[in-house]
Coordinates of all heavy atoms in Angstrom, one line a residue:
M262 N -53.7 -15.8 -190.9 CA -55.1 -15.8 -190.7 C -55.5 -15.4 -189.3 O -54.9 -15.9 -188.3 CB -55.6 -17.2 -191.1 CG -57.1 -17.3 -191.2 SD -57.6 -19.0 -191.6 CE -58.5 -19.4 -190.1
R263 N -56.5 -14.7 -189.1 CA -57.0 -14.3 -187.8 C -58.3 -15.0 -187.5 O -59.2 -15.0 -188.3 CB -57.1 -12.8 -187.6 CG -55.8 -12.1 -187.3 CD -55.9 -10.6 -187.2 NE -54.6 -10.0 -187.0 CZ -53.9 -10.0 -185.8 NH1 -54.5 -10.5 -184.8 NH2 -52.8 -9.4 -185.7
C264 N -58.5 -15.3 -186.2 CA -59.8 -15.9 -185.8 C -60.9 -14.8 -185.8 O -60.6 -13.7 -185.2 CB -59.6 -16.5 -184.4 SG -61.2 -17.0 -183.7
S265 N -62.0 -15.1 -186.4 CA -63.1 -14.1 -186.5 C -63.8 -13.9 -185.1 O -64.4 -12.9 -184.8 CB -64.1 -14.5 -187.5 OG -64.6 -15.8 -187.1
K266 N -63.5 -14.9 -184.2 CA -64.2 -14.8 -182.9 C -63.4 -14.1 -181.9 O -63.9 -13.2 -181.2 CB -64.4 -16.3 -182.4 CG -65.8 -16.5 -181.9 CD -65.9 -18.0 -181.6 CE -67.2 -18.3 -180.8 NZ -67.3 -19.7 -180.5
C267 N -62.1 -14.4 -181.8 CA -61.3 -13.8 -180.7 C -60.2 -12.8 -181.3 O -59.6 -12.1 -180.6 CB -60.6 -14.8 -179.9 SG -59.4 -15.9 -180.8
G268 N -60.0 -12.9 -182.7 CA -59.1 -11.9 -183.3 C -57.6 -12.3 -183.2 O -56.8 -11.5 -183.5
Q269 N -57.3 -13.4 -182.6 CA -55.9 -13.8 -182.5 C -55.4 -14.6 -183.7 O -56.2 -15.1 -184.4 CB -55.8 -14.7 -181.2 CG -56.2 -13.9 -179.9 CD -55.4 -14.5 -178.7 OE1 -54.2 -14.4 -178.7 NE2 -56.1 -15.0 -177.8
E270 N -54.1 -14.6 -183.8 CA -53.5 -15.2 -185.0 C -53.6 -16.7 -184.9 O -53.3 -17.3 -183.8 CB -52.0 -14.8 -185.0 CG -51.3 -15.1 -186.4 CD -51.9 -14.3 -187.5 OE1 -52.2 -13.1 -187.3 OE2 -52.1 -14.9 -188.6
V271 N -54.1 -17.3 -185.9 CA -54.3 -18.8 -186.0 C -53.6 -19.3 -187.2 O -53.7 -18.7 -188.3 CB -55.9 -19.1 -186.1 CG1 -56.1 -20.5 -186.1 CG2 -56.6 -18.5 -184.9
P272 N -53.0 -20.5 -187.1 CA -52.4 -21.2 -188.4 C -53.5 -21.3 -189.4 O -54.7 -21.7 -189.1 CB -51.9 -22.5 -187.8 CG -51.8 -22.4 -186.4 CD -52.8 -21.4 -185.9
A273 N -53.2 -21.1 -190.7 CA -54.2 -21.1 -191.8 C -54.8 -22.4 -192.0 O -56.0 -22.5 -192.4 CB -53.5 -20.6 -193.1
D274 N -54.1 -23.5 -191.6 CA -54.7 -24.8 -191.8 C -55.5 -25.3 -190.6 O -55.9 -26.5 -190.6 CB -53.6 -25.8 -192.2 CG -52.5 -25.9 -191.2 OD1 -52.3 -25.0 -190.4 OD2 -51.8 -26.9 -191.1
A275 N -55.6 -24.5 -189.6 CA -56.2 -25.0 -188.4 C -57.7 -25.0 -188.6 O -58.3 -24.1 -189.1 CB -55.9 -24.0 -187.2
I276 N -58.3 -26.1 -188.1 CA -59.8 -26.3 -188.2 C -60.4 -25.5 -187.1 O -61.4 -24.8 -187.2 CB -60.2 -27.8 -188.2 CG1 -59.4 -28.5 -189.3 CG2 -61.7 -27.9 -188.3 CD1 -59.4 -30.1 -189.1
Y277 N -59.8 -25.7 -185.9 CA -60.3 -25.0 -184.7 C -59.3 -23.9 -184.3 O -58.1 -24.1 -184.4 CB -60.6 -25.9 -183.5 CG -61.5 -27.1 -183.8 CD1 -61.0 -28.3 -184.0 CD2 -62.9 -26.8 -184.0 CE1 -61.9 -29.4 -184.3 CE2 -63.8 -27.8 -184.2 CZ -63.3 -29.1 -184.4 OH -64.1 -30.2 -184.7
C278 N -59.8 -22.8 -183.8 CA -58.9 -21.8 -183.2 C -58.4 -22.3 -181.8 O -59.2 -22.6 -181.0 CB -59.7 -20.5 -183.0 SG -58.9 -19.3 -182.0
P279 N -57.1 -22.4 -181.7 CA -56.5 -22.9 -180.4 C -56.9 -22.0 -179.2 O -57.0 -22.5 -178.1 CB -55.0 -23.0 -180.7 CG -54.8 -22.1 -181.8 CD -56.0 -22.1 -182.7
H280 N -57.0 -20.7 -179.5 CA -57.3 -19.8 -178.4 C -58.8 -20.0 -177.9 O -59.0 -20.0 -176.7 CB -57.1 -18.3 -178.9 CG -55.7 -18.1 -179.4 ND1 -54.6 -18.1 -178.6 CD2 -55.3 -18.0 -180.7 CE1 -53.5 -17.9 -179.4 NE2 -53.9 -17.8 -180.7
C281 N -59.7 -20.1 -178.9 CA -61.1 -20.3 -178.5 C -61.3 -21.7 -177.8 O -62.1 -21.8 -176.9 CB -62.0 -20.2 -179.7 SG -62.1 -18.6 -180.4
T282 N -60.6 -22.7 -178.3 CA -60.6 -24.0 -177.7 C -60.1 -24.0 -176.3 O -60.7 -24.6 -175.4 CB -59.8 -25.1 -178.5 OG1 -60.0 -24.8 -179.9 CG2 -60.3 -26.5 -178.2
G283 N -59.1 -23.2 -176.1 CA -58.5 -23.0 -174.7 C -59.5 -22.3 -173.8 O -59.7 -22.7 -172.7
E284 N -60.2 -21.3 -174.3 CA -61.2 -20.6 -173.5 C -62.4 -21.5 -173.1 O -62.9 -21.4 -172.0 CB -61.8 -19.5 -174.4 CG -61.0 -18.2 -174.3 CD -61.5 -17.2 -175.3 OE1 -62.7 -17.1 -175.5 OE2 -60.7 -16.5 -175.8
R285 N -62.6 -22.5 -174.0 CA -63.8 -23.4 -173.8 C -63.4 -24.3 -172.6 O -64.3 -24.6 -171.8 CB -64.0 -24.3 -175.0 CG -65.4 -24.9 -175.0 CD -65.6 -25.4 -176.4 NE -66.7 -26.3 -176.4 CZ -67.0 -27.0 -177.5 NH1 -66.3 -27.0 -178.6 NH2 -68.0 -27.8 -177.5
Q286 N -62.1 -24.6 -172.4 CA -61.7 -25.5 -171.3 C -61.9 -24.7 -170.0 O -62.3 -25.2 -169.0 CB -60.3 -25.9 -171.5 CG -60.1 -27.1 -172.4 CD -58.7 -27.4 -172.8 OE1 -57.8 -26.6 -172.5 NE2 -58.6 -28.5 -173.5
T287 N -61.6 -23.4 -170.0 CA -61.7 -22.6 -168.8 C -63.2 -22.5 -168.5 O -63.5 -22.6 -167.3 CB -61.2 -21.2 -169.0 OG1 -60.5 -21.1 -170.3 CG2 -60.3 -20.8 -167.9
T288 N -64.1 -22.3 -169.4 CA -65.5 -22.2 -169.1 C -66.1 -23.5 -168.6 O -66.9 -23.5 -167.8 CB -66.3 -21.7 -170.3 OG1 -65.8 -22.2 -171.5 CG2 -66.4 -20.2 -170.4
D289 N -65.5 -24.7 -169.1 CA -65.9 -26.0 -168.6 C -65.6 -26.0 -167.1 O -66.4 -26.5 -166.3 CB -65.2 -27.1 -169.3 CG -65.8 -27.5 -170.6 OD1 -67.0 -27.0 -170.8 OD2 -65.3 -28.3 -171.3
R290 N -64.4 -25.5 -166.7 CA -64.0 -25.4 -165.3 C -65.0 -24.5 -164.5 O -65.3 -24.7 -163.4 CB -62.6 -24.9 -165.2 CG -61.8 -25.7 -164.2 CD -60.3 -25.3 -164.2 NE -59.6 -25.5 -165.4 CZ -58.7 -24.8 -165.9 NH1 -58.3 -23.7 -165.3 NH2 -58.1 -25.1 -167.1
E291 N -65.4 -23.4 -165.2 CA -66.3 -22.5 -164.6 C -67.7 -23.1 -164.4 O -68.3 -22.8 -163.4 CB -66.5 -21.2 -165.5 CG -65.4 -20.2 -165.2 CD -65.3 -19.1 -166.3 OE1 -66.3 -18.9 -167.0 OE2 -64.3 -18.4 -166.3
V292 N -68.1 -24.0 -165.3 CA -69.3 -24.7 -165.1 C -69.3 -25.6 -163.9 O -70.2 -25.6 -163.0 CB -69.7 -25.5 -166.4 CG1 -70.8 -26.4 -166.1 CG2 -70.0 -24.5 -167.5
I293 N -68.2 -26.2 -163.7 CA -68.0 -27.1 -162.6 C -67.9 -26.3 -161.3 O -68.6 -26.6 -160.3 CB -66.7 -28.0 -162.7 CG1 -66.9 -29.0 -163.9 CG2 -66.4 -28.7 -161.4 CD1 -65.6 -29.6 -164.4
R294 N -67.2 -25.1 -161.4 CA -67.1 -24.3 -160.2 C -68.5 -23.7 -159.8 O -68.8 -23.6 -158.7 CB -66.2 -23.1 -160.5 CG -65.5 -22.6 -159.3 CD -64.6 -21.4 -159.6 NE -63.5 -21.7 -160.5 CZ -63.0 -20.9 -161.4 NH1 -63.4 -19.7 -161.5 NH2 -62.1 -21.3 -162.2
G295 N -69.3 -23.4 -160.9 CA -70.7 -22.9 -160.6 C -71.5 -24.0 -160.0 O -72.3 -23.7 -159.1
G296 N -71.3 -25.2 -160.4 CA -72.0 -26.3 -159.7 C -71.7 -26.5 -158.3 O -72.5 -26.7 -157.4
I297 N -70.4 -26.4 -158.0 CA -69.9 -26.6 -156.6 C -70.4 -25.4 -155.8 O -70.9 -25.6 -154.6 CB -68.4 -26.6 -156.6 CG1 -67.8 -27.9 -157.2 CG2 -67.8 -26.5 -155.1 CD1 -66.4 -27.9 -157.5
R298 N -70.4 -24.2 -156.3 CA -70.9 -23.0 -155.6 C -72.4 -23.2 -155.3 O -72.9 -23.0 -154.1 CB -70.7 -21.8 -156.4 CG -70.8 -20.5 -155.5 CD -70.7 -19.3 -156.4 NE -69.6 -19.2 -157.2 CZ -69.5 -18.7 -158.5 NH1 -70.7 -18.3 -159.1 NH2 -68.4 -18.7 -159.2
G299 N -73.2 -23.6 -156.3 CA -74.6 -23.9 -156.1 C -74.8 -25.0 -155.1 O -75.7 -24.9 -154.3
G300 N -74.0 -26.0 -155.1 CA -74.1 -27.1 -154.2 C -73.9 -26.7 -152.8 O -74.6 -27.1 -151.8
L301 N -72.9 -25.8 -152.6 CA -72.6 -25.3 -151.2 C -73.7 -24.4 -150.7 O -74.1 -24.5 -149.5 CB -71.3 -24.5 -151.2 CG -70.0 -25.3 -151.3 CD1 -68.8 -24.4 -151.4 CD2 -69.8 -26.3 -150.1
I302 N -74.3 -23.6 -151.6 CA -75.5 -22.8 -151.2 C -76.6 -23.7 -150.8 O -77.3 -23.5 -149.8 CB -75.8 -21.8 -152.3 CG1 -74.7 -20.8 -152.5 CG2 -77.2 -21.1 -152.0 CD1 -74.8 -20.0 -153.9
G303 N -76.8 -24.7 -151.6 CA -77.9 -25.7 -151.3 C -77.7 -26.4 -150.0 O -78.6 -26.6 -149.2
L304 N -76.4 -26.7 -149.7 CA -76.1 -27.3 -148.4 C -76.4 -26.5 -147.3 O -77.0 -26.9 -146.3 CB -74.6 -27.7 -148.5 CG -74.1 -28.7 -147.4 CD1 -74.6 -30.1 -147.6 CD2 -72.6 -28.7 -147.4
L305 N -76.0 -25.2 -147.4 CA -76.3 -24.2 -146.3 C -77.8 -24.0 -146.1 O -78.3 -24.0 -145.0 CB -75.7 -22.8 -146.6 CG -74.2 -22.8 -146.5 CD1 -73.6 -21.4 -147.0 CD2 -73.7 -23.0 -145.0
V306 N -78.5 -24.0 -147.3 CA -80.0 -23.8 -147.2 C -80.6 -25.1 -146.5 O -81.6 -25.0 -145.7 CB -80.6 -23.6 -148.6 CG1 -82.1 -23.7 -148.6 CG2 -80.2 -22.2 -149.2
G307 N -80.1 -26.3 -146.8 CA -80.6 -27.5 -146.3 C -80.3 -27.7 -144.8 O -81.0 -28.4 -144.1
L308 N -79.2 -27.1 -144.4 CA -78.8 -27.3 -143.0 C -79.7 -26.6 -142.0 O -79.9 -27.1 -140.9 CB -77.3 -26.7 -142.8 CG -76.2 -27.7 -143.1 CD1 -74.8 -26.9 -143.0 CD2 -76.2 -28.9 -142.2
V309 N -80.3 -25.5 -142.4 CA -81.2 -24.8 -141.5 C -82.4 -25.6 -141.2 O -82.6 -25.9 -140.0 CB -81.6 -23.4 -142.2 CG1 -82.6 -22.7 -141.3 CG2 -80.4 -22.5 -142.4
P310 N -83.2 -26.2 -142.1 CA -84.3 -27.0 -141.7 C -83.8 -28.3 -141.0 O -84.5 -28.8 -140.2 CB -85.0 -27.4 -143.1 CG -84.1 -27.0 -144.1 CD -83.2 -25.9 -143.6
A311 N -82.7 -28.8 -141.4 CA -82.1 -30.0 -140.8 C -81.9 -29.8 -139.3 O -82.3 -30.6 -138.4 CB -80.8 -30.5 -141.5
L312 N -81.3 -28.7 -139.0 CA -81.0 -28.3 -137.6 C -82.3 -28.1 -136.8 O -82.4 -28.4 -135.6 CB -80.1 -27.1 -137.5 CG -78.6 -27.4 -137.9 CD1 -77.8 -26.1 -138.0 CD2 -77.9 -28.3 -137.0
L313 N -83.2 -27.5 -137.5 CA -84.6 -27.2 -137.0 C -85.3 -28.5 -136.6 O -85.9 -28.6 -135.5 CB -85.4 -26.3 -138.0 CG -86.5 -25.5 -137.4 CD1 -86.0 -24.4 -136.6 CD2 -87.4 -25.0 -138.5
I314 N -85.2 -29.5 -137.5 CA -85.8 -30.8 -137.3 C -85.2 -31.4 -136.0 O -85.9 -31.9 -135.1 CB -85.7 -31.7 -138.5 CG1 -86.6 -31.2 -139.6 CG2 -86.0 -33.1 -138.2 CD1 -86.3 -31.8 -141.0
L315 N -83.9 -31.3 -136.0 CA -83.1 -31.9 -134.8 C -83.5 -31.2 -133.5 O -83.7 -31.8 -132.5 CB -81.6 -31.8 -135.0 CG -81.0 -32.9 -136.0 CD1 -79.5 -32.6 -136.2 CD2 -81.1 -34.3 -135.4
Y316 N -83.7 -29.9 -133.6 CA -84.0 -29.1 -132.4 C -85.4 -29.4 -132.0 O -85.7 -29.5 -130.8 CB -83.9 -27.6 -132.8 CG -84.2 -26.7 -131.7 CD1 -83.4 -26.5 -130.6 CD2 -85.5 -26.0 -131.7 CE1 -83.8 -25.6 -129.5 CE2 -85.8 -25.1 -130.7 CZ -85.0 -24.9 -129.6 OH -85.3 -24.1 -128.6
L317 N -86.3 -29.5 -132.9 CA -87.7 -29.7 -132.6 C -88.0 -31.2 -132.1 O -88.8 -31.4 -131.2 CB -88.6 -29.4 -133.8 CG -88.7 -27.9 -134.1 CD1 -89.5 -27.7 -135.4 CD2 -89.4 -27.1 -133.0
Y318 N -87.4 -32.2 -132.7 CA -87.8 -33.5 -132.5 C -86.7 -34.3 -131.8 O -86.9 -35.5 -131.4 CB -88.1 -34.2 -133.8 CG -89.3 -33.6 -134.6 CD1 -89.1 -32.8 -135.7 CD2 -90.6 -33.8 -134.1 CE1 -90.1 -32.1 -136.3 CE2 -91.6 -33.1 -134.8 CZ -91.4 -32.3 -135.9 OH -92.4 -31.7 -136.5
G319 N -85.6 -33.7 -131.5 CA -84.5 -34.4 -130.8 C -83.7 -35.3 -131.8 O -84.2 -35.7 -132.9
A320 N -82.5 -35.8 -131.4 CA -81.6 -36.5 -132.2 C -81.9 -38.0 -132.1 O -81.0 -38.8 -131.8 CB -80.2 -36.2 -131.9
E321 N -83.1 -38.4 -132.4 CA -83.4 -39.8 -132.5 C -83.0 -40.4 -133.8 O -82.7 -39.7 -134.7 CB -85.0 -40.0 -132.3 CG -85.4 -39.9 -130.9 CD -86.9 -39.8 -130.8 OE1 -87.6 -40.7 -131.4 OE2 -87.5 -38.9 -130.1
R322 N -83.0 -41.7 -133.8 CA -82.4 -42.4 -135.0 C -83.1 -42.0 -136.3 O -82.5 -41.6 -137.3 CB -82.5 -43.9 -134.8 CG -81.1 -44.5 -135.1 CD -81.1 -46.0 -134.9 NE -80.3 -46.6 -135.9 CZ -80.3 -48.0 -136.0 NH1 -81.1 -48.7 -135.3 NH2 -79.6 -48.5 -137.0
G323 N -84.4 -42.1 -136.3 CA -85.2 -41.8 -137.5 C -85.1 -40.3 -137.9 O -85.0 -40.0 -139.1
I324 N -85.1 -39.5 -136.9 CA -85.0 -38.0 -137.1 C -83.6 -37.7 -137.7 O -83.5 -36.9 -138.6 CB -85.2 -37.3 -135.8 CG1 -86.6 -37.6 -135.2 CG2 -85.0 -35.8 -136.0 CD1 -87.8 -37.3 -136.0
K325 N -82.6 -38.3 -137.2 CA -81.2 -38.1 -137.7 C -81.2 -38.4 -139.2 O -80.5 -37.6 -139.9 CB -80.2 -38.9 -137.0 CG -79.5 -38.2 -135.8 CD -78.4 -39.2 -135.3 CE -77.9 -38.6 -134.0 NZ -77.0 -39.6 -133.3
A326 N -81.8 -39.5 -139.6 CA -81.8 -39.9 -141.0 C -82.5 -38.8 -141.9 O -82.0 -38.4 -143.0 CB -82.5 -41.2 -141.2
I327 N -83.6 -38.3 -141.4 CA -84.3 -37.3 -142.1 C -83.5 -36.0 -142.2 O -83.3 -35.4 -143.2 CB -85.7 -37.0 -141.5 CG1 -86.6 -38.2 -141.5 CG2 -86.4 -35.8 -142.1 CD1 -87.8 -38.2 -140.6
A328 N -82.9 -35.6 -141.0 CA -82.1 -34.4 -140.9 C -80.9 -34.5 -141.8 O -80.4 -33.5 -142.3 CB -81.7 -34.2 -139.5
L329 N -80.4 -35.7 -142.1 CA -79.3 -35.9 -143.0 C -79.7 -35.8 -144.4 O -78.9 -35.4 -145.3 CB -78.6 -37.2 -142.6 CG -77.2 -37.4 -143.1 CD1 -76.2 -36.6 -142.3 CD2 -76.8 -38.9 -143.0
T330 N -80.9 -36.3 -144.7 CA -81.3 -36.4 -146.1 C -81.6 -35.0 -146.7 O -81.4 -34.8 -147.8 CB -82.6 -37.3 -146.2 OG1 -82.4 -38.5 -145.5 CG2 -83.0 -37.6 -147.6
V331 N -82.1 -34.1 -145.8 CA -82.5 -32.8 -146.3 C -81.3 -32.0 -146.9 O -81.4 -31.6 -148.0 CB -83.2 -32.0 -145.1 CG1 -83.4 -30.6 -145.6 CG2 -84.6 -32.7 -144.8
P332 N -80.2 -31.9 -146.1 CA -79.1 -31.2 -146.8 C -78.5 -31.8 -148.0 O -78.0 -31.2 -148.9 CB -78.1 -31.0 -145.7 CG -78.5 -32.0 -144.6 CD -79.9 -32.2 -144.7
I333 N -78.6 -33.2 -148.0 CA -78.0 -33.9 -149.2 C -78.9 -33.6 -150.4 O -78.4 -33.4 -151.5 CB -78.0 -35.4 -148.9 CG1 -76.9 -35.7 -147.9 CG2 -77.8 -36.2 -150.2 CD1 -76.9 -37.1 -147.3
A334 N -80.2 -33.6 -150.2 CA -81.2 -33.3 -151.3 C -81.0 -31.9 -151.8 O -81.0 -31.6 -153.0 CB -82.6 -33.5 -150.8
T335 N -80.9 -30.9 -150.8 CA -80.7 -29.5 -151.3 C -79.3 -29.3 -151.9 O -79.2 -28.5 -152.8 CB -80.9 -28.6 -150.1 OG1 -80.1 -29.0 -149.0 CG2 -82.3 -28.5 -149.6
F336 N -78.3 -30.1 -151.4 CA -77.0 -30.0 -152.1 C -77.0 -30.4 -153.5 O -76.5 -29.7 -154.4 CB -76.0 -30.9 -151.3 CG -74.7 -30.9 -151.9 CD1 -73.7 -29.9 -151.8 CD2 -74.3 -32.1 -152.6 CE1 -72.5 -30.0 -152.4 CE2 -73.0 -32.2 -153.2 CZ -72.1 -31.1 -153.1
A337 N -77.7 -31.6 -153.7 CA -77.8 -32.1 -155.1 C -78.6 -31.1 -156.0 O -78.2 -30.9 -157.1 CB -78.5 -33.4 -155.1
T338 N -79.7 -30.5 -155.4 CA -80.5 -29.6 -156.2 C -79.6 -28.3 -156.5 O -79.7 -27.8 -157.7 CB -81.7 -29.2 -155.4 OG1 -82.4 -30.3 -155.0 CG2 -82.7 -28.3 -156.2
G339 N -78.9 -27.8 -155.5 CA -78.1 -26.7 -155.8 C -77.0 -26.9 -156.8 O -76.7 -26.0 -157.6
L340 N -76.4 -28.1 -156.7 CA -75.4 -28.5 -157.6 C -75.9 -28.5 -159.1 O -75.2 -27.9 -160.0 CB -74.9 -29.9 -157.3 CG -73.7 -30.4 -158.0 CD1 -72.4 -29.9 -157.4 CD2 -73.6 -32.0 -158.0
I341 N -77.1 -29.1 -159.3 CA -77.6 -29.1 -160.6 C -78.0 -27.7 -161.1 O -77.7 -27.3 -162.3 CB -78.9 -30.1 -160.7 CG1 -78.4 -31.5 -160.4 CG2 -79.6 -29.9 -162.0 CD1 -79.5 -32.4 -160.0
L342 N -78.6 -26.9 -160.2 CA -79.0 -25.6 -160.6 C -77.8 -24.7 -160.9 O -77.7 -23.9 -161.9 CB -79.8 -24.9 -159.5 CG -81.2 -25.4 -159.3 CD1 -81.8 -24.7 -158.0 CD2 -82.1 -25.0 -160.5
G343 N -76.7 -24.9 -160.1 CA -75.4 -24.2 -160.4 C -74.8 -24.6 -161.7 O -74.3 -23.7 -162.4
L344 N -74.8 -25.9 -162.0 CA -74.3 -26.3 -163.3 C -75.1 -25.8 -164.5 O -74.5 -25.3 -165.5 CB -74.3 -27.9 -163.4 CG -73.3 -28.6 -162.5 CD1 -73.6 -30.1 -162.5 CD2 -71.9 -28.4 -163.1
V345 N -76.4 -25.8 -164.4 CA -77.3 -25.3 -165.5 C -77.1 -23.8 -165.7 O -77.0 -23.3 -166.8 CB -78.8 -25.7 -165.1 CG1 -79.7 -25.0 -166.1 CG2 -79.0 -27.2 -165.2
K346 N -77.0 -23.1 -164.5 CA -76.9 -21.7 -164.6 C -75.5 -21.2 -165.2 O -75.5 -20.4 -166.1 CB -77.0 -21.1 -163.2 CG -77.3 -19.6 -163.2 CD -77.3 -19.0 -161.8 CE -77.3 -17.5 -161.9 NZ -76.1 -16.9 -162.4
A347 N -74.5 -21.9 -164.8 CA -73.1 -21.6 -165.3 C -73.1 -22.0 -166.8 O -72.4 -21.3 -167.6 CB -72.1 -22.4 -164.5
K348 N -73.8 -23.0 -167.2 CA -73.7 -23.4 -168.6 C -74.5 -22.4 -169.4 O -74.2 -22.2 -170.6 CB -74.3 -24.8 -168.7 CG -73.9 -25.5 -170.0 CD -73.6 -27.0 -169.7 CE -72.9 -27.6 -170.9 NZ -72.5 -29.0 -170.7
R349 N -75.6 -21.9 -168.9 CA -76.4 -21.0 -169.6 C -75.7 -19.7 -169.8 O -75.8 -19.0 -170.8 CB -77.7 -20.8 -168.9 CG -78.9 -20.4 -169.8 CD -80.2 -20.3 -169.0 NE -80.7 -21.6 -168.7 CZ -81.7 -21.9 -167.8 NH1 -82.1 -21.0 -167.1 NH2 -82.1 -23.1 -167.7
D350 N -74.9 -19.3 -168.8 CA -74.1 -18.0 -168.9 C -73.1 -18.2 -170.0 O -72.7 -17.2 -170.6 CB -73.4 -17.8 -167.6 CG -74.4 -17.3 -166.5 OD1 -75.6 -16.9 -166.8 OD2 -74.0 -17.3 -165.3
W351 N -72.6 -19.4 -170.2 CA -71.5 -19.6 -171.1 C -72.0 -19.5 -172.6 O -71.4 -19.0 -173.5 CB -71.0 -21.0 -170.8 CG -70.0 -21.6 -171.8 CD1 -69.0 -21.0 -172.4 CD2 -70.0 -22.9 -172.4 NE1 -68.4 -21.8 -173.3 CE2 -69.0 -23.0 -173.3 CE3 -70.8 -24.0 -172.2 CZ2 -68.7 -24.1 -174.0 CZ3 -70.5 -25.2 -172.9 CH2 -69.5 -25.2 -173.8
K352 N -73.3 -19.9 -172.8 CA -73.9 -19.9 -174.2 C -74.3 -18.5 -174.6 O -74.2 -17.5 -174.0 CB -75.0 -20.8 -174.2 CG -74.5 -22.2 -174.5 CD -75.7 -23.2 -174.6 CE -75.2 -24.6 -174.8 NZ -76.3 -25.6 -174.6
Ligands
ZN508 ZN1 -60.4 -17.7 -181.6

């Protein structure tokens, strides 16, 4: 019996195609990789305003906290966007 999806030989009693299941694991990894990539882009995007805030207002305690929060927030946003985008590509 051949899998209608990937065309590879599959045992006749198999419920799932082992080749397609294997591919799915790789795409799961790709989704995570997409999330990390998105997160890194978000981090870079967030570092620019963070450095700008530090440059404009000086490295005071409260300013440091704000400057730290910005890249974290953009990192989280990029991570989610990267995950969603990678998952959409997969479907
Ligand atoms: Zn298959």
Side-chain angles (χ1 to χ4, degrees):
M262 193 182 111
R263 277 183 185 277
C264 170
S265 59
K266 227 174 172 183
C267 64
Q269 296 210 62
E270 197 63 42
V271 178
D274 59 338
I276 304 164
Y277 302 107
C278 166
H280 305 288
C281 288
T282 321
E284 273 171 38
R285 202 166 163 189
Q286 280 170 352
T287 351
T288 34
D289 275 352
R290 222 176 295 147
E291 275 168 18
V292 168
I293 293 163
R294 209 182 299 149
I297 291 166
R298 200 188 301 142
L301 285 176
I302 293 164
L304 193 68
L305 286 173
V306 169
L308 275 176
V309 177
L312 290 172
L313 200 71
I314 289 165
L315 280 174
Y316 177 76
L317 289 174
Y318 301 104
E321 281 169 49
R322 231 179 141 190
I324 301 300
K325 264 186 189 169
I327 296 164
L329 197 73
T330 310
V331 172
I333 290 167
T335 51
F336 174 77
T338 309
L340 188 82
I341 292 160
L342 286 175
L344 284 171
V345 168
K346 196 186 171 292
K348 200 143 196 177
R349 208 175 281 165
D350 289 344
W351 169 46
K352 273 177 185 171

